[in-house]
DNA sequence: GTGGTCTAGACCACG
DNA sequence: GTGGTCTAGACCACT
């Protein structure tokens, strides 16, 4: 279980933890049933506050990624529920639209952006 | 110049204004040199505070999208492809990676995601 | 008499006019007794407001650079009064200190800065 | 951490804070990683408004000098020589040219100006 | 009438 | 307790 936080940049720490764990689940590095390190362990190893880690774990539970039980370590849930509500899909579209807009305003061409997408997709496929 | 705000969402108002203006610039609805409505006008028409609008305008200026001059209205800047630093490209990649991960965890397949991208790209091309 | 304004950037227009005229006086392009174009002419040629030009001329008069008489064109004063008050020298030092600090924070070395200074000084000497 | 504001001058308070912090970073009094006092602390100690201090901190963040994170104190960024864009160098040259012109119009000679520069440079070198 | 600065006070998100 | 967002109202500098 490898986690790191970027001191520079504006992303809140708890969001960085969330996206890293989600990424590892997406890539298959973390499999259903796998144990996550304890809140305290993560906090110590990253030199951050325990509340911050706990917050991240709570959010992951709310998103149906992990399972939290009192006194036991967090575990990746067995059945990844394909939530896929119309709400979450709409939000995804908004984020994608903003991403594309920003890419264009940065001077990237359509092809540049497509390349970027394929590059990231390839990276994920390889891991699987 | 059309702007709207979504009271329910969690997105701060100033971010909504920013992405809407950026989207219109990206689509070519707003052209270089075009005047934006004054902060007071936007504030009145949306029923929000002047400073909230000003905050959005300030961020747009810092991102090199618009030009703010004391006593004049805000204008879309002339030189379009400005920045494209390695920093901003790295940030773009991170956002894209998170987006793809979230899409997968929602149950979308590779093809589903590709479709979504093409759909959004097509929408932008049509406007141009 | 050549003037131009930089639409991008944050410097107020009247300050741009002031510094350009002062620069031309400093370089000797504008000599004592020389006529300046009328407020209206400058405003028309630059596509800006008359008040803006008038404001610049007033400030130049207050700094003892030009001479304003009702119904007559502005003229460069004959005797450049070497004001050189302790106040203005203190302000100069502050501006210089800030300039050097900014240069350092941008990554320029001591030598880089010295080069920059010599470069600008040489440019002024040549004109004389 | 020592800050002071000059009520009489025309410089906005937030600009005074900015240049003082930048100066201390330049001199090495503030080192990368160092914590800055919270906006509330600075505001209280200077008898000014929180938002004024915040404004200064925001500008410093945008200039890549400090790091702002929700819930944490501001810190001096680690990577020091960051930007140095052609834009910012051009702006530096303009400011230097104006400074030199003003010095000449005040009656300072070339040597006087050179002395002034060396004097300021020496002051900075000594601190390092 | 425009944006720029400052004050003031509130509530929220993060650590 | 920290920074982030929003509201509100005032005065100033610039066009």
């Amino acid at each position: 279980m490898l986690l790191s936080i970027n001191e520079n940049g504006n992303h809140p720490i708890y969001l960085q933890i969330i996206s890293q764990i989600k990424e590892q689940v997406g890539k298959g590095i973390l499999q259903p049933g796998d144990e996550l390190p304890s809140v305290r362990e993560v906090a110590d190893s990253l030199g951050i506050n325990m509340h911050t880690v706990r917050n991240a774990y709570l959010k992951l539970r709310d998103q149906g990624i992990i399972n939290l039980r009192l006194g036991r370590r967090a575990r990746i849930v067995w059945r990844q529920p394909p939530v896929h509500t119309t709400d979450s899909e709409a939000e995804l579209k908004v984020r994608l639209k903003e991403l594309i807009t920003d890419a264009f305003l940065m001077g990237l061409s359509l092809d540049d952006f497509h390349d970027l997408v394929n590059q990231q997709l390839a990276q994920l496929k390889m891991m699987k």
Side-chain angles (χ1 to χ4, degrees), chain A residues 58-75:
Chain A
L58 286 176
K59 292 283 198 305
L60 283 167
R61 184 197 59 187
D62 293 343
Q63 291 178 39
I65 311 289
I66 66 171
N67 213 302
L68 289 180
R69 283 249 182 69
L70 217 94
R72 305 180 69 179
R73 303 210 144 189
R75 288 177 176 281

Side-chain angles (χ1 to χ4, degrees), chain A residues 8-60:
Chain A
N8 297 356
N10 294 341
H11 279 339
I13 297 174
Y14 84 103
L15 283 181
Q16 292 186 38
I17 295 175
I18 289 176
S19 55
Q20 284 178 48
I21 291 181
K22 282 167 86 170
E23 190 189 341
Q24 296 191 29
V25 174
K27 285 182 177 171
I29 300 175
L30 285 174
Q31 298 282 349
D34 281 358
E35 266 185 358
L36 260 52
S38 76
V39 168
R40 185 178 302 271
E41 282 169 1
V42 175
D44 287 349
S45 69
L46 296 181
I48 59 177
N49 195 302
M50 269 176 50
H51 298 331
T52 307
V53 183
R54 171 153 177 78
N55 189 4
Y57 277 23
L58 286 176
K59 292 283 198 305
L60 283 167

Side-chain angles (χ1 to χ4, degrees), chain A residues 96 99-100 103-104 107-123:
Chain A
L96 180 56
L99 195 65
I100 295 175
F104 279 170
L108 264 67
S109 71
L110 275 142
D111 288 340
D112 290 338
F113 186 76
H114 245 126
D115 288 350
L116 219 61
V117 171
N118 287 326
Q119 177 187 325
Q120 294 296 332
L121 285 176
Q123 201 177 324

